[in-house]
Amino acid sequence: MGFVKERLFKDKISIRAIQIVDGKVFYAGTDSKFGFVHMQDTIWKRQIRLSNEKLEFRTLAHFDQLLYTANIESPAYFYKIDKRDLSYEIFYKDTLRTAFYDAFSYDKKGRGIAISDPTNKGKATFRLFTKKNYKQDDGIIPLYNEGEAHFAASNTNIATVGNTVWIATGGKTSRIFKFTWDKPFHWDVYGTPFVNGVSSSGIYSIDFYNEKLGIAVGGDYTKQKENVNNIAVTSDGGETWQSVASGKNSGYKTCVKYRPDSGGKEIIAVGDGDISYSDDFGKTWKVISEEKNLFVVEWVDKDTLVFAGKNRILKAKFK
């Protein structure tokens, strides 16, 4: 298997959230920067600043003609940007002192969710953006444990397939919250065997191939070579998780994605230290590139990927 990389974009920026739309890689990052670069013609690119303040964006979602992002830290400004001309506006503002939005996702039906770290009392903080008004009266939202939160590492601690949404936590507890859009204020809670116990450890990224098959990756960003219980898989929709490749992988990862049309067998994972690949449902892993400081990955098609991270965006092809 060959793996060939090509640089699409270079700038002084840290990018942890991308969306691939109409042949373009849209990104949001540090210093309030938002923009795109075309994958086939890299001269075709544009960048704007969404604020005169130095906001940091680690979220990016897409539906129809619009892209959506919110900055980390309070106050959190929610932006919608037209993909055609990059005109933008703030459509929501969260002034809660503990606001820290880690991920933002829209599904194919235009149902959006943005998840923040919890309040000091362990209450979930999230925003739903849908055409339907849901009632919260009969909702069951679990409390977060002390020291449990999310990581704004790659905009991937939310996963959606069909009518189902999964949310991953980390820190002193690593768990999975799950709901369906029939009852978005009723969350089920599932434990995992994932590493946890300190604020820097836990699940950093999840992905689901279908409604049953899923994977979680992470570790501890302060001890990136540690590789025990930092990858887990599920085959029953997130209700039970099994640790895989424990002690036999290259360590901390910030983003994981299933290869399209692979039946869930092939998976790519990226972290600060390398790019790793599995062709056996996550049971074993091989480092296919030692390129460092890449934080997020997305498949364009079954043979093409886009990576982003510190100061750059890359395109890669399997040969």
Side-chain angles (χ1 to χ4, degrees):
M1 179 188 70
F3 190 66
V4 180
K5 299 190 295 293
E6 169 194 354
R7 191 173 71 192
L8 299 178
F9 170 82
K10 183 180 180 181
D11 187 27
K12 188 177 181 180
I13 185 175
S14 178
I15 300 171
R16 293 181 178 270
I18 59 174
Q19 290 288 330
I20 298 170
V21 184
D22 299 337
K24 302 172 185 175
V25 183
F26 286 87
Y27 61 88
T30 48
D31 201 22
S32 298
K33 292 178 178 180
F34 174 89
F36 72 82
V37 59
H38 199 280
M39 287 186 291
Q40 301 303 322
D41 182 3
T42 57
I43 296 176
W44 186 6
K45 59 185 175 182
R46 187 181 172 197
Q47 184 181 92
I48 61 173
R49 293 192 66 211
L50 296 175
S51 172
N52 290 326
E53 301 178 49
K54 289 190 174 183
L55 302 180
E56 183 170 350
F57 295 98
R58 297 190 180 188
T59 68
L60 190 60
H62 166 251
F63 177 69
D64 199 18
Q65 300 294 333
L66 298 174
L67 292 114
Y68 302 84
T69 187
N71 60 285
I72 59 172
E73 300 183 337
S74 180
Y77 300 97
F78 285 72
Y79 290 82
K80 57 182 178 182
I81 307 108
D82 193 305
K83 69 177 184 179
R84 295 164 294 190
D85 59 8
L86 301 197
S87 59
Y88 62 91
E89 64 176 277
I90 296 172
F91 68 96
Y92 182 76
K93 180 181 178 181
D94 190 340
T95 58
L96 192 67
R97 190 166 61 179
T98 54
F100 194 104
Y101 282 87
D102 303 271
F104 199 165
S105 176
Y106 267 85
D107 70 5
K108 294 179 180 178
K109 292 186 177 181
R111 300 173 294 195
I113 178 173
I115 188 76
S116 167
D117 287 342
T119 67
N120 294 331
K121 295 183 179 180
K123 292 185 177 181
T125 303
F126 62 100
R127 295 290 178 269
L128 301 181
F129 302 101
T130 71
K131 294 179 180 179
K132 180 178 178 180
N133 292 320
Y134 292 96
K135 293 183 179 180
Q136 301 186 41
D137 299 342
D138 59 349
I140 301 175
I141 305 296
L143 288 176
Y144 286 64
N145 294 328
E146 182 180 356
E148 181 180 21
H150 309 284
F151 294 110
S154 59
N155 195 48
T156 54
N157 46 39
I158 300 173
T160 63
V161 175
N163 206 37
T164 306
V165 179
W166 297 266
I167 301 168
T169 72
K172 292 188 177 180
T173 306
S174 295
R175 297 189 292 176
I176 297 292
F177 301 144
K178 178 182 178 181
F179 70 83
T180 69
W181 282 109
D182 300 322
K183 294 183 178 180
F185 292 96
H186 186 123
W187 296 10
D188 292 315
V189 185
Y190 303 107
T192 75
F194 223 86
V195 61
N196 61 70
V198 296
S199 61
S200 55
S201 66
I203 301 171
Y204 278 71
S205 175
I206 55 173
D207 193 27
F208 275 76
Y209 187 80
N210 52 36
E211 292 186 347
K212 295 295 184 182
L213 198 63
I215 187 166
V217 302
D220 186 336
Y221 74 81
T222 67
K223 301 174 182 177
Q224 297 195 12
K225 292 297 183 181
E226 291 195 0
N227 61 357
V228 175
N229 294 333
N230 66 315
I231 305 173
V233 296
T234 180
S235 58
D236 59 8
E239 295 185 19
T240 60
W241 293 81
Q242 297 78 43
S243 183
V244 292
S246 183
K248 298 178 181 179
N249 66 84
S250 61
Y252 165 76
K253 292 291 179 290
T254 57
C255 190
V256 64
K257 291 288 180 178
Y258 283 101
R259 188 178 191 178
D261 303 324
S262 70
K265 185 177 181 180
E266 297 179 70
I267 312 164
I268 201 87
V270 65
D272 295 14
D274 65 67
I275 301 168
S276 291
Y277 169 77
S278 174
D279 62 1
D280 58 3
F281 300 97
K283 295 176 184 177
T284 62
W285 293 82
K286 178 183 179 181
V287 174
I288 58 174
S289 172
E290 293 185 350
E291 181 128 12
K292 302 185 184 307
N293 298 316
L294 295 172
F295 312 132
V296 59
V297 59
E298 187 61 80
W299 291 92
V300 182
D301 54 47
K302 67 182 182 66
D303 297 316
T304 312
L305 308 102
V306 170
F307 297 90
K310 184 178 180 181
N311 300 335
R312 67 205 189 281
I313 298 173
L314 305 177
K315 183 173 74 172
K317 277 192 171 291
F318 278 107
K319 295 285 188 180

